Amino acid sequence: MKSCVSFLVLVVLFGAPSAASSTMEAGDENGTTPNIDLQLFDDVTEAAGLTSIKALYVSWGSSWGDMDGDGDPDLWVSNHYSRPVLYENLGDGTFRNVRKQRLGKMYGDLHTASWVDFDNDGDQDLVVLHGGRRATGKEDNQVFVNDGSGHFSERAEQLGLTHGWARGRAPLWFDSNDDGRLDVLFTALLRPDGRDYTRFFRQKTDGTFVPDESAGYDTPKSPVTMAYLTDVNGDQKLDVVEASYWRFPIAVFDTMDPTAAQRMKPPFLAKPVKDVAFADLNGDAFIDAIVPPYVRRNIVIQRNESRVEFHMPSVAEEIGIDVRTEGALTIQFQWKQRVLIGSNGYPKTFGNLDPEFNRHYRLLGGITNAEDVFSLDPADAKNQGIARHTPGVDNGIYIGYFPSEGTWRVLNSGNPSRRISGILSSSQKITSLGRIGFSSHPKGGARIFIWNPKESRYDEKTYKSGLSAAGDFGSESIVAGDFDNDCDVDFYVVTTTTLENTPNRLYLNDGTGNFVLSPNAGGAAGTSTGIGDAVTAADYDCDGALDMFVANGGGTGRNRVAFKVGEGKDQLFRNRGNSNGWLEIDLEGTASNRDGIGATVFVEVGGKTQVRERGNGMHSRSQDHARLHFGLGTANSVDRLTVRWPSGQIDVIKNIAANRAIRVKEGGTIHTVCE
């Protein structure tokens, strides 16, 4: 435990840190070692009632929002092609699924959703993006408008927000022209026919939306999977960052000029990346960045004496596996594959997804790759040997049996974009498993970028942050927050591989941007079943401690044939909390948009300033709860709270009692939401 005693001097003017403020680099020796052995979290999934629906492989994240205005965050889970869930928070630590009663019929290729009061009427609406039937057709987004009581009507067409031909990924809401009305960026992958892409929609005075290419946010030639609203140039104005899994960022836009977006030089570059967290990591009141790795690695696992599972993107000239067994080889590929078998290379096309997945996909109008599982007999001469080819030059999948070794060989040659996933099983015992070319798979490790206000740039401080020795892991999702309420920002990473759900990681901050790995993720290491997908944060029981929801249906780009329907169990981790103080803040704009999106909030305690951004809570496939959370250490009050609103209004409120959630209305009035 520690208080928020200042270990650096900040010059604060109207709540904004000056560019001349002194800063402390990650790695300075004034931090306090966090108690990493403390169990912070308990898995309360069953007790909380979050068990009604499990994902069909792909959960596609979650989104927190208060649908009924009772102050308790409710939870949306998309579940992609299976039934979505809307969990109502009952206020007693439990939830119930009310999706059918509140929203009615849901359908299709569901992707990221966001809660937002886009019509400025004081209640949260729900916007769900759709994926355009995997670019095979048209499927409109769904916009559920709240009637004020937590019941909704679908009005995407009337509002002009269908965007139905796009392979929609996630929405990002912001007020682009400072008129007090929220506009929206719908991110999307590219279609092969180029029919639609990431588009910006401007809100008109009548509450409807129109595409506005002139604003400059559209990306007709680049796939965009996620977008963030955060300050990446130190001017205290939140910028728009567009990114993809393959490159971060795609584009960055300075929003200081309300008449048109100004494209900026990327603050840093990283790839591949599945998610990024923006927060003040070293306590200087500027926004830094944590970039966990996304590593689509080659992996093979022997599950039992007769079954091998594999996922092999081609990253070298040739990659493959040897399976020693004298039995027949049964092969099941996730995607349709054309394979060359034996020394003569006779062609065979086969592949099979799980029948349950196919059934659901067909019902929704999709086209499946399913064909029969295929078996090869080692005694059949045409299956023996491997066809002659030049590794890395001749594209193909080659399979053959070598009688003298009693070994089957599977090779993936050439095309680096091809990935093969599936299952090999034998009628007899598999006595050994060999890997060919696996040494070349990429390594992964989290990177830290600290804003340097003197030079107006990000400096990479990975080696000074304690993360250079964090080890090799692949990440799907990240969330940052003060999980132990000790006045500094920690972070939690959902990790996984293509074949197994690896333990998630919690890194605790010592106050200077140095991070220490907490054993068992403080109790939130997570399940070993399914595949980690996404994490979101919310204090769902208003006890001042940030809780987390982890979805484990991460099936995109993974080996789906190796997992059963519903195997990816979602998990709710409740934070036990401690004796440290806290303050949580909801914003209510008047001249600004009602949600206060685009605002920056500063809290001063004991000479130290903390900062949070009201950036819509959006990150990859997910939305954290909008309520801003501050840990206060041993302090029992906040010396000064400063809100910089999107309208330009600056409110300063002094001497606020700790340990409660408050609503701050533009103009400086506050009232307590819960305590």
Side-chain angles (χ1 to χ4, degrees), residues 16 211 261 287 419 434 546 605:
I287 299 301
R419 60 183 187 267
L546 279 177
V605 179

Side-chain angles (χ1 to χ4, degrees), residues 172 226-234 238-243 248-252 264 266-270 273-282 285-292 447-451 458 478-482 489-492 515 611-615 617-620 624 628:
L172 183 72
M226 49 195 171
Y228 301 80
L229 191 62
T230 185
D231 179 15
V232 292
N233 62 358
L238 274 59
D239 309 302
V240 173
V241 180
E242 299 179 5
F248 190 99
I250 294 290
V252 183
M264 296 191 298
F268 54 84
L269 295 173
V273 174
K274 228 23 178 337
D275 201 2
V276 174
F278 292 93
D280 177 17
L281 303 178
N282 63 343
F286 287 98
I287 299 301
D288 312 306
I290 315 161
V291 185
R447 302 169 68 189
I448 296 289
F449 294 88
I450 300 295
W451 179 254
Y458 281 96
I478 183 173
V479 67
D482 189 355
V489 175
D490 316 299
F491 70 94
Y492 176 90
F515 292 90
V611 60
R612 301 289 188 269
E613 296 177 323
R614 178 66 170 94
M618 301 304 298
H619 55 112
S620 182
D624 300 322
L628 304 177

Side-chain angles (χ1 to χ4, degrees), residues 398-579:
Y398 300 85
I399 300 178
Y401 183 71
F402 294 87
S404 61
E405 302 172 10
T407 299
W408 288 96
R409 181 165 296 168
V410 179
L411 299 174
N412 184 11
S413 171
N415 189 350
S417 65
R418 181 198 294 115
R419 60 183 187 267
I420 60 173
S421 294
I423 300 170
L424 303 178
S425 55
S426 176
S427 58
Q428 297 189 32
K429 186 176 181 179
I430 296 173
T431 58
S432 71
L433 179 63
R435 296 165 177 81
I436 303 167
F438 273 62
S439 60
S440 60
H441 83 260
K443 299 290 183 180
R447 302 169 68 189
I448 296 289
F449 294 88
I450 300 295
W451 179 254
N452 181 339
K454 293 181 180 179
E455 303 293 336
S456 295
R457 72 184 187 204
Y458 281 96
D459 294 331
E460 184 167 0
K461 300 292 183 179
T462 303
Y463 289 94
K464 290 188 176 183
S465 67
L467 291 179
S468 60
D472 178 29
F473 63 92
S475 168
E476 286 291 310
S477 182
I478 183 173
V479 67
D482 189 355
F483 293 111
D484 50 5
N485 282 344
D486 65 350
C487 312
D488 49 53
V489 175
D490 316 299
F491 70 94
Y492 176 90
V493 182
V494 173
T495 76
T496 192
T497 74
T498 51
L499 285 180
E500 57 185 350
N501 211 2
T502 51
N504 301 327
R505 297 184 174 211
L506 173 66
Y507 290 92
L508 298 178
N509 194 335
D510 72 354
T512 71
N514 289 312
F515 292 90
V516 183
L517 181 64
S518 177
N520 195 38
T527 178
S528 60
T529 62
I531 295 178
D533 175 41
V535 58
T536 50
D539 178 11
Y540 75 86
D541 51 3
C542 200
D543 64 355
L546 279 177
D547 312 302
M548 296 185 297
F549 179 81
V550 177
N552 288 293
T556 52
R558 307 302 185 182
N559 188 341
R560 291 192 190 127
V561 297
F563 298 96
K564 297 177 181 178
V565 173
E567 190 176 45
K569 175 189 175 186
D570 296 334
Q571 292 181 287
L572 179 65
F573 292 105
R574 180 182 180 273
N575 194 327
R576 294 181 175 184
N578 53 33
S579 60

Side-chain angles (χ1 to χ4, degrees), residues 78 108 139 158 236 303 348 354 463 536 608 639 641 672:
S78 288
E139 187 173 287
Q158 297 94 313
Q236 309 298 326
R303 290 291 184 190
K348 179 69 179 178
D354 184 281
Y463 289 94
T536 50
K608 179 177 179 178
D639 299 329
L641 167 68
T672 298

Side-chain angles (χ1 to χ4, degrees), residues 331-343:
I331 305 167
Q332 186 179 14
F333 282 120
Q334 176 170 333
W335 300 282
K336 182 182 289 186
Q337 303 287 358
R338 186 172 183 272
V339 178
L340 301 175
I341 300 172
S343 58

Side-chain angles (χ1 to χ4, degrees), residues 58-60 76 78-82 84 106-113 128-142 164-170 189 191 357 360-361 364-366 556 560:
V58 186
S59 42
W60 213 283
W76 164 270
S78 288
N79 283 338
H80 205 201
Y81 270 110
S82 65
M106 298 290 296
Y107 57 82
D109 186 7
L110 304 178
H111 287 173
T112 309
V128 184
L129 263 59
H130 287 243
R133 293 179 179 265
R134 300 186 176 217
T136 63
K138 182 177 185 290
E139 187 173 287
D140 292 346
N141 296 329
Q142 291 178 287
W165 290 105
R167 299 182 67 188
R169 284 312 183 256
L189 294 182
R191 290 176 61 103
F357 181 87
H360 282 263
Y361 196 25
L364 295 164
T556 52
R560 291 192 190 127

